[in-house]
Amino acid sequence: TFKNLNKFSIGVGHSTWSGLSWIFRFQQGDAILNIPIQISSNIGTSSTSAASSALVYSISVVYLSFLSTLIHTIIGDIIQDKVKSSGVSTSEIQREAKMLCAAKSRIDAENQIKLMTRKAEINCKSEESKSGLVIEKATYSIKGGECLEVTTALQFWVSESRLKLASSSFGGMLGFYNLESSVNHTFEEDKASKSGLSGLTKLWDSIFDPANGKEISSQIPVLHIRYRFNEKIYDISVRDNEALILPSP
């Protein structure tokens, strides 16, 4: 399991009594060891010393944050080189981790649907008897990833011929799960690995070329719904994080 993996991270800490610290964190399973290194103490009390100390303090925070990111990236490059020399690519490891995460989330969603089915059927019969809101078919999908059947999940939430979903990710609802972990990034990952881009190069691009690499993250799940209301059929599609009200005004 992933609980047994060793983790190392670097960060910056601040407190009113100890000032600025550089924190090295080692984690193995549930055990965490933090090693703080004090960089500067509290800001002075007099107006002159406080102003100069505040400036130095702010510069120290920016410098340490950048230095921490740089060290993280260098360590990542070293580890990546060792993984490549062992014959296992990082993209393969990432894909396996995503597949495991997606599989677990899918099973959880299927179990939730089973628990929601009875109430959804009762809601459906009640709505049909008064020509109310009936979800004929609903799917939650993402380009390059999975397509999830969510008809039962939506009918479960129908009340008084109305369905209201807040403007948040549908992936967090009962019967849903986050589909971004199911997206196949094989082409992009292989392209990046073949080009030999290191972590430092990617860090440089992220600072001076923010638009680089946004194509993958721009893929947003879409909820497609076909519903019946007052004996008429309607179709609607909404992107993730958008509010939904049915019947649509």
Side-chain angles (χ1 to χ4, degrees):
T1 63
F2 294 105
K3 289 179 64 179
N4 297 322
L5 290 178
N6 297 323
K7 297 180 181 179
F8 170 72
S9 59
I10 308 172
V12 180
H14 162 76
S15 67
T16 55
W17 57 272
S18 64
L20 184 65
S21 300
W22 206 8
I23 301 176
F24 293 79
R25 169 174 290 187
F26 300 88
Q27 180 176 354
Q28 183 174 22
D30 297 328
I32 298 176
L33 174 64
N34 290 329
I35 302 177
I37 300 177
Q38 187 172 357
I39 303 300
S40 64
S41 58
N42 289 326
I43 297 174
T45 55
S46 66
S47 59
T48 304
S49 62
S52 59
S53 297
L55 178 60
V56 174
Y57 196 89
S58 300
I59 295 175
S60 299
V61 171
V62 175
Y63 174 74
L64 282 180
S65 299
F66 176 76
L67 187 59
S68 299
T69 303
L70 190 62
I71 294 175
H72 259 295
T73 306
I74 293 173
I75 293 175
D77 284 345
I78 294 173
I79 294 175
Q80 187 174 15
D81 289 339
K82 289 186 176 180
V83 170
K84 285 182 178 179
S85 64
S86 67
V88 181
S89 67
T90 54
S91 61
E92 290 177 353
I93 296 175
Q94 291 172 354
R95 281 197 294 269
E96 289 181 3
K98 288 180 180 179
M99 288 174 61
L100 288 173
C101 181
K104 182 182 182 304
S105 299
R106 190 187 312 112
I107 293 173
D108 290 341
E110 290 172 354
N111 290 334
Q112 291 166 2
I113 289 293
K114 292 178 181 178
L115 297 175
M116 302 168 77
T117 300
R118 179 58 180 164
K119 185 178 184 300
E121 291 175 347
I122 294 174
N123 284 355
C124 184
K125 290 180 181 179
S126 175
E127 294 296 327
E128 285 179 337
S129 65
K130 56 185 177 183
S131 298
L133 178 60
V134 176
I135 308 299
E136 296 284 345
K137 185 174 182 61
T139 58
Y140 183 56
S141 60
I142 186 171
K143 184 178 180 181
E146 295 187 21
C147 180
L148 183 63
E149 169 74 38
V150 292
T151 305
T152 299
L154 293 187
Q155 189 68 58
F156 176 88
W157 294 110
V158 173
S159 177
E160 300 297 328
S161 299
R162 300 277 289 180
L163 175 62
K164 294 183 179 180
L165 301 180
S167 55
S168 59
S169 176
F170 302 130
M173 294 176 53
L174 291 175
F176 288 70
Y177 69 90
N178 183 7
L179 294 181
E180 292 183 5
S181 60
S182 70
V183 176
N184 184 4
H185 294 327
T186 303
F187 174 76
E188 290 80 3
E189 291 168 347
D190 291 344
K191 181 179 177 182
S193 61
K194 288 178 181 178
S195 63
L197 292 179
S198 66
L200 288 174
T201 304
K202 293 176 183 177
L203 177 62
W204 178 274
D205 289 341
S206 66
I207 296 174
F208 297 100
D209 188 11
N212 186 32
K214 283 190 176 180
E215 183 177 353
I216 298 176
S217 61
S218 65
Q219 294 177 328
I220 300 176
V222 177
L223 179 61
H224 302 275
I225 306 173
R226 168 165 289 192
Y227 67 95
R228 177 162 34 99
F229 182 71
N230 284 338
E231 303 303 329
K232 293 183 179 179
I233 300 294
Y234 302 89
D235 288 279
I236 186 172
S237 296
V238 291
R239 288 155 60 96
D240 207 29
N241 291 305
E242 292 183 0
L244 172 67
I245 299 178
L246 296 182
S248 182

